[in-house]
Amino acid sequence: MSDDVVYGRQPVHEALRGRRAVREILVTEKAQAALPWLRDVDVRLAGADEIGDLAGSADHQGIAARVEPYAYADPDELLDHDRPLIVALDGVSDPRNLGAIARSAECAGATGLVVPRHGSAIVTPAVAKASAGAVEHLPIAVAPNLADWLQRAKRPGLWSYAAAADGATRYTDADYTDGCVFVLGAEGTGVRPRVLSACDATVAIPLAGSIGSLNVSVTAGVLLFEAVRQRG
């Protein structure tokens, strides 16, 4: 398998601290001088154009790295944790949203994140950048079929909550102190019917403005940190 690429100062920094082997770091002289954590790291000085070609983006902040391919977690093993806190995404295809959700999940101490095999974003250089390197620490799993995985997840003490504008329960009234899976769908279409039917309950975040929905990454952050609050 060919190497992956990580670009941007925070994503490369987290790659050095994470699970993946870092093969090579390319950095401009200006970026090297500004990053004290590179002081004892082997790097190759390169121009901004070369780094941009490797990154596939001009938003590289003067640094990019070749790293080993991303190793996905087993979605069923995430369920084996005590009181797991998991985010499952249904049809979230925007890499920036996946990255932002991964960042919130990692900061909330979530057990992991699950995406379906088809129709959703997976870990790419753009996702790693949008996550500020959170993908290097947060277990992310790919489920062949999200509805089937949610059915397998059913057990006492583990509940799945789908976020929906017309959810039956206000999000602060649900109990997240046991294990829980937050299921979020794509903006506009929401959670698909078969996935929704596999969830135990639906929750809604009341909105006070004129717009009818939150960005999916904001919804994920609100739900995750409500669970953190309830768990103390």
Side-chain angles (χ1 to χ4, degrees), residues 17 28 35 38 48 53 90 108 137 151 172 202 215 219:
R17 301 174 60 236
T28 63
L35 301 173
L38 283 178
D53 289 342
D90 183 31
H137 309 287
Q151 290 289 357
T172 50
T202 57
N215 177 275
T219 299

Side-chain angles (χ1 to χ4, degrees), residues 28-154:
T28 63
E29 289 189 47
K30 181 179 179 181
Q32 184 187 35
L35 301 173
W37 48 268
L38 283 178
R39 189 169 295 123
D40 298 319
V41 177
D42 289 332
V43 300
R44 178 164 72 83
L45 293 179
D49 289 344
E50 182 182 357
I51 295 172
D53 289 342
L54 175 64
S57 170
D59 189 27
H60 52 71
Q61 299 176 306
I63 188 168
R66 291 187 176 91
V67 298
E68 69 176 342
Y70 190 83
Y72 289 93
D74 184 320
D76 292 335
E77 289 182 0
L78 295 179
L79 301 172
D80 292 337
H81 289 247
D82 180 41
R83 293 196 308 155
L85 178 59
I86 300 170
V87 177
L89 303 180
D90 183 31
V92 177
S93 58
D94 189 326
R96 293 166 298 183
N97 280 335
L98 176 56
I101 292 166
R103 184 175 185 175
S104 293
E106 203 285 324
C107 288
T111 309
L113 190 155
V114 177
V115 298
R117 179 171 293 168
H118 302 291
S120 290
I122 57 173
V123 178
T124 63
V127 170
K129 178 68 163 61
S131 79
V135 298
E136 307 302 336
H137 309 287
L138 178 74
I140 299 177
V142 176
N145 185 290
L146 189 58
D148 290 347
W149 177 77
L150 287 167
Q151 290 289 357
R152 291 198 305 275
K154 291 183 181 297

Side-chain angles (χ1 to χ4, degrees), residues 4-5 9 12 27 32 34-35 62 65 102 124 135 139 188 205 208 217:
D4 283 354
V5 174
R9 298 183 181 188
V12 173
V27 63
Q32 184 187 35
L35 301 173
T124 63
V135 298
I205 300 172
S217 66

